[in-house]
Structures are given as structure tokens and as C-alpha cells.
Amino acid sequence: MKTDNLKILSGRAHPELARGICSQLSIEPANMVVESFPDSETFVKIIDHIRGDDVFIIQPTGKPSNENVMELLIMIDAARRASAKRITAVLPFFGYARQDRKDQPRVPITAKLIANLLVAAGANRVLTLDLHATQIQGFFDIPCDHLYASPVIYDYLHSKNLESNMTVFSPDVGGLKRAQAYATLFNCPIGFIAKRRISAEHVEATSLVGEVEGRDILVVDDMTETAGTLTAAAKILKSKGAKTVRAAVTHGMLTDTAFERLGEKWIDELIVTDSTPPDPRYKDYPITVLSIAHLMSDAIFRIHNNMSVTSLFKVKGF
């Protein structure tokens, strides 16, 4: 299989990840200009010839979300007008994913709106990772390949030989399916924590179900910003006799509040991926960053060569 006519374009959201993906594919990122005019409008120019090429645009839409989304739409339009044969929007993190339903009167379903905009701009396919809700795949009127970071996280944790004493916990009832997937991989017990949200940044854990005392606990979630849910979970788990508490989340977009909570050391280790750019402050906290470049490059290679991506959902040895 070849990488002929495969082009990787990168916006400004996460050029380091794009370079990592290109390194895995043994190709160079396409030359392009992405910059802002003095009035903050975005300008894009693709320098390389891409007529008839299979184009993949790497652009997570995390903060600043609006800027990154708009930049992605403009890059897609530029590639379409440059006569790319196929355009795949690669979103390691899909912003606005939590606005996926009408949970109040007179509110939008913004995740669907973003999906519509990507299609309208000219995207032919979407490749994304650990959506907040898997049903968002159905928002797209084009093929959507949805990957999971669990193989990457599993490989890391497996190397630490924790399975024999591990219990996987979901920080809330809604995440039980994700926790069950990890518990199956590690062949270990599962538990969950009941919580009560006080405000956008404050969460109170009220009770838990599962084996805790003397156990190495792994709390799994799709994303964290303030670390409120994870810290509340760690507090109640430690109070019930947990030996260690680790948290594994795919998307870590930590705020100042999150770093303050991590500084309290209730969480022994926070494991995140580089689906969004790692904060320079990570090195001062017990945070481990795992690269998804290999996972994403494998998916891009398979899509380019019209191969199945199903094998990427599997963990080595299973």
C-alpha cells in the first residue's frame, strides 16, 4: 500500500500532532499559509499542488473553539476550490460535542450545526476520536470514522502491571459503558460513583458502588476541563480506602481551576492524550501525556487505501 497522492494539511490548532502523524506516514506536511489579518479574519493559502489528491486536514476544535472551527471551514473550502479529490476533516477533538441535544427550551443543538457546516464547506469524510456521545456520528451526512483512545491508554497501563489489583470506575452513571469497556480489557471489577452537580465547576460525589479498599482505582472519562468530577471521585474513593487513584481521559483541556485541584494531590496520576495541545504546565503535575499520532496515522493510511479501520479498535493480544 502506498501514500501516493496523500496530502496532510494542518491548521494552527495543533501543528505538533500533524507533524507526528506525518512522521509516522513518512511524508511531509503540505506547505500552506494560515494567518490572521489585522481585523482578525483568517487567511488560508495552500502552496502545494493538491489537484486530484486525497487531502486530510488536521484540526482539533478545542479552545479557542470558534476560531479553530472557522479556520477548519476555510481550509476545507480552500482545498475544495483547489480541486482536491477527497477531503477528510480530522478532528482529534470535536468541539461543541456536549451540545448534542435540547436539554432546555429554546437552546440549539450546536454539535449538529457544526456537522452541517463541515459538510457545507466541502468535507467528504470525518475522522474523529472519542466523541462525547457516540450518536453524534449520526449528525454527519457523510462517512464518519470514530476512533477510540482505549488501545493507547491500555498499552500504557498494561506496562505498569496494575491489572491484578485494579478496579475501573466511572465518575458517573452515564459513563458506565466506557468503564465497562476498560474493565473488560483489564479483566477487572467495575464500579461507579453517584454525583451531584452544584455548578459548572463544582461537583459533589455522594456515594459509590464497587470494590475500593486497598485497590488501585482507574477512573475513566472522555474529557476534563476543571477536573471537578475527577477530584470529587478521587476524594470519596480515597476516603473509602483506595490504595491509589488514577484518572484516564482522552481529552485534557485543563483550566487554572483544574491545576489547582491537581495540586491537592487527590489524584495520583492523570493520563491524557495529545488530542489537544498539552499545556506547558503539565510537567509540574502528575500528568502523563500519551501520543495518538500512531493511532491517527494508521487510520489515515487505511482510509487512503480503502482498508477497514475496525482493527484499530482492538487491543494487542485480544
Side-chain angles (χ1 to χ4, degrees), residues 224-237:
T224 186
E225 290 182 335
T226 65
T229 295
L230 299 178
T231 301
K235 286 180 179 180
I236 192 170
L237 288 164

PDB file of all heavy atoms in Angstrom, residues 224-237:
ATOM      1  N   THR A 224     -11.898  16.228  30.401  1.00  0.00           N
ATOM      2  CA  THR A 224     -11.979  17.012  31.628  1.00  0.00           C
ATOM      3  C   THR A 224     -11.464  18.414  31.355  1.00  0.00           C
ATOM      4  O   THR A 224     -10.557  18.612  30.546  1.00  0.00           O
ATOM      5  CB  THR A 224     -11.175  16.357  32.767  1.00  0.00           C
ATOM      6  OG1 THR A 224     -11.406  17.083  33.984  1.00  0.00           O
ATOM      7  CG2 THR A 224      -9.672  16.347  32.482  1.00  0.00           C
ATOM      8  N   GLU A 225     -12.070  19.389  32.013  1.00  0.00           N
ATOM      9  CA  GLU A 225     -11.641  20.785  31.914  1.00  0.00           C
ATOM     10  C   GLU A 225     -11.254  21.329  33.286  1.00  0.00           C
ATOM     11  O   GLU A 225     -10.156  21.818  33.481  1.00  0.00           O
ATOM     12  CB  GLU A 225     -12.742  21.646  31.300  1.00  0.00           C
ATOM     13  CG  GLU A 225     -12.986  21.371  29.829  1.00  0.00           C
ATOM     14  CD  GLU A 225     -14.048  22.267  29.242  1.00  0.00           C
ATOM     15  OE1 GLU A 225     -14.910  22.758  30.010  1.00  0.00           O
ATOM     16  OE2 GLU A 225     -14.038  22.497  28.027  1.00  0.00           O
ATOM     17  N   THR A 226     -12.162  21.220  34.245  1.00  0.00           N
ATOM     18  CA  THR A 226     -11.894  21.753  35.581  1.00  0.00           C
ATOM     19  C   THR A 226     -11.423  20.671  36.545  1.00  0.00           C
ATOM     20  O   THR A 226     -11.025  20.988  37.667  1.00  0.00           O
ATOM     21  CB  THR A 226     -13.154  22.408  36.165  1.00  0.00           C
ATOM     22  OG1 THR A 226     -14.164  21.402  36.376  1.00  0.00           O
ATOM     23  CG2 THR A 226     -13.701  23.475  35.222  1.00  0.00           C
ATOM     24  N   ALA A 227     -11.482  19.405  36.131  1.00  0.00           N
ATOM     25  CA  ALA A 227     -11.137  18.253  36.984  1.00  0.00           C
ATOM     26  C   ALA A 227     -12.040  18.153  38.208  1.00  0.00           C
ATOM     27  O   ALA A 227     -11.704  17.472  39.176  1.00  0.00           O
ATOM     28  CB  ALA A 227      -9.671  18.310  37.422  1.00  0.00           C
ATOM     29  N   GLY A 228     -13.205  18.807  38.158  1.00  0.00           N
ATOM     30  CA  GLY A 228     -14.131  18.779  39.294  1.00  0.00           C
ATOM     31  C   GLY A 228     -14.701  17.392  39.540  1.00  0.00           C
ATOM     32  O   GLY A 228     -14.695  16.899  40.675  1.00  0.00           O
ATOM     33  N   THR A 229     -15.183  16.754  38.476  1.00  0.00           N
ATOM     34  CA  THR A 229     -15.751  15.407  38.615  1.00  0.00           C
ATOM     35  C   THR A 229     -14.686  14.412  39.058  1.00  0.00           C
ATOM     36  O   THR A 229     -14.917  13.579  39.942  1.00  0.00           O
ATOM     37  CB  THR A 229     -16.367  14.962  37.276  1.00  0.00           C
ATOM     38  OG1 THR A 229     -17.476  15.816  36.962  1.00  0.00           O
ATOM     39  CG2 THR A 229     -16.854  13.527  37.346  1.00  0.00           C
ATOM     40  N   LEU A 230     -13.495  14.496  38.462  1.00  0.00           N
ATOM     41  CA  LEU A 230     -12.419  13.559  38.795  1.00  0.00           C
ATOM     42  C   LEU A 230     -11.941  13.739  40.233  1.00  0.00           C
ATOM     43  O   LEU A 230     -11.690  12.762  40.950  1.00  0.00           O
ATOM     44  CB  LEU A 230     -11.252  13.732  37.824  1.00  0.00           C
ATOM     45  CG  LEU A 230     -11.537  13.462  36.345  1.00  0.00           C
ATOM     46  CD1 LEU A 230     -10.289  13.714  35.505  1.00  0.00           C
ATOM     47  CD2 LEU A 230     -12.036  12.033  36.151  1.00  0.00           C
ATOM     48  N   THR A 231     -11.814  14.985  40.661  1.00  0.00           N
ATOM     49  CA  THR A 231     -11.353  15.241  42.033  1.00  0.00           C
ATOM     50  C   THR A 231     -12.387  14.790  43.048  1.00  0.00           C
ATOM     51  O   THR A 231     -12.045  14.192  44.077  1.00  0.00           O
ATOM     52  CB  THR A 231     -11.045  16.743  42.217  1.00  0.00           C
ATOM     53  OG1 THR A 231     -10.043  17.141  41.279  1.00  0.00           O
ATOM     54  CG2 THR A 231     -10.543  17.018  43.626  1.00  0.00           C
ATOM     55  N   ALA A 232     -13.663  15.058  42.785  1.00  0.00           N
ATOM     56  CA  ALA A 232     -14.720  14.610  43.695  1.00  0.00           C
ATOM     57  C   ALA A 232     -14.723  13.094  43.799  1.00  0.00           C
ATOM     58  O   ALA A 232     -14.895  12.523  44.890  1.00  0.00           O
ATOM     59  CB  ALA A 232     -16.072  15.120  43.201  1.00  0.00           C
ATOM     60  N   ALA A 233     -14.511  12.430  42.658  1.00  0.00           N
ATOM     61  CA  ALA A 233     -14.450  10.971  42.669  1.00  0.00           C
ATOM     62  C   ALA A 233     -13.256  10.483  43.473  1.00  0.00           C
ATOM     63  O   ALA A 233     -13.362   9.541  44.274  1.00  0.00           O
ATOM     64  CB  ALA A 233     -14.373  10.451  41.236  1.00  0.00           C
ATOM     65  N   ALA A 234     -12.094  11.103  43.267  1.00  0.00           N
ATOM     66  CA  ALA A 234     -10.883  10.684  43.972  1.00  0.00           C
ATOM     67  C   ALA A 234     -11.026  10.854  45.481  1.00  0.00           C
ATOM     68  O   ALA A 234     -10.566  10.012  46.264  1.00  0.00           O
ATOM     69  CB  ALA A 234      -9.683  11.483  43.464  1.00  0.00           C
ATOM     70  N   LYS A 235     -11.671  11.939  45.897  1.00  0.00           N
ATOM     71  CA  LYS A 235     -11.849  12.180  47.331  1.00  0.00           C
ATOM     72  C   LYS A 235     -12.665  11.080  47.992  1.00  0.00           C
ATOM     73  O   LYS A 235     -12.284  10.547  49.044  1.00  0.00           O
ATOM     74  CB  LYS A 235     -12.524  13.543  47.557  1.00  0.00           C
ATOM     75  CG  LYS A 235     -11.618  14.742  47.334  1.00  0.00           C
ATOM     76  CD  LYS A 235     -12.369  16.043  47.582  1.00  0.00           C
ATOM     77  CE  LYS A 235     -11.466  17.247  47.394  1.00  0.00           C
ATOM     78  NZ  LYS A 235     -12.193  18.526  47.623  1.00  0.00           N
ATOM     79  N   ILE A 236     -13.785  10.722  47.389  1.00  0.00           N
ATOM     80  CA  ILE A 236     -14.630   9.697  48.012  1.00  0.00           C
ATOM     81  C   ILE A 236     -13.968   8.321  47.918  1.00  0.00           C
ATOM     82  O   ILE A 236     -14.082   7.500  48.836  1.00  0.00           O
ATOM     83  CB  ILE A 236     -16.048   9.690  47.391  1.00  0.00           C
ATOM     84  CG1 ILE A 236     -16.987   8.834  48.242  1.00  0.00           C
ATOM     85  CG2 ILE A 236     -16.034   9.207  45.959  1.00  0.00           C
ATOM     86  CD1 ILE A 236     -18.453   8.970  47.856  1.00  0.00           C
ATOM     87  N   LEU A 237     -13.223   8.069  46.849  1.00  0.00           N
ATOM     88  CA  LEU A 237     -12.520   6.791  46.716  1.00  0.00           C
ATOM     89  C   LEU A 237     -11.407   6.663  47.756  1.00  0.00           C
ATOM     90  O   LEU A 237     -11.233   5.609  48.377  1.00  0.00           O
ATOM     91  CB  LEU A 237     -11.938   6.658  45.300  1.00  0.00           C
ATOM     92  CG  LEU A 237     -12.963   6.415  44.193  1.00  0.00           C
ATOM     93  CD1 LEU A 237     -12.356   6.695  42.816  1.00  0.00           C
ATOM     94  CD2 LEU A 237     -13.497   4.990  44.254  1.00  0.00           C
TER      95      LEU A 237
END
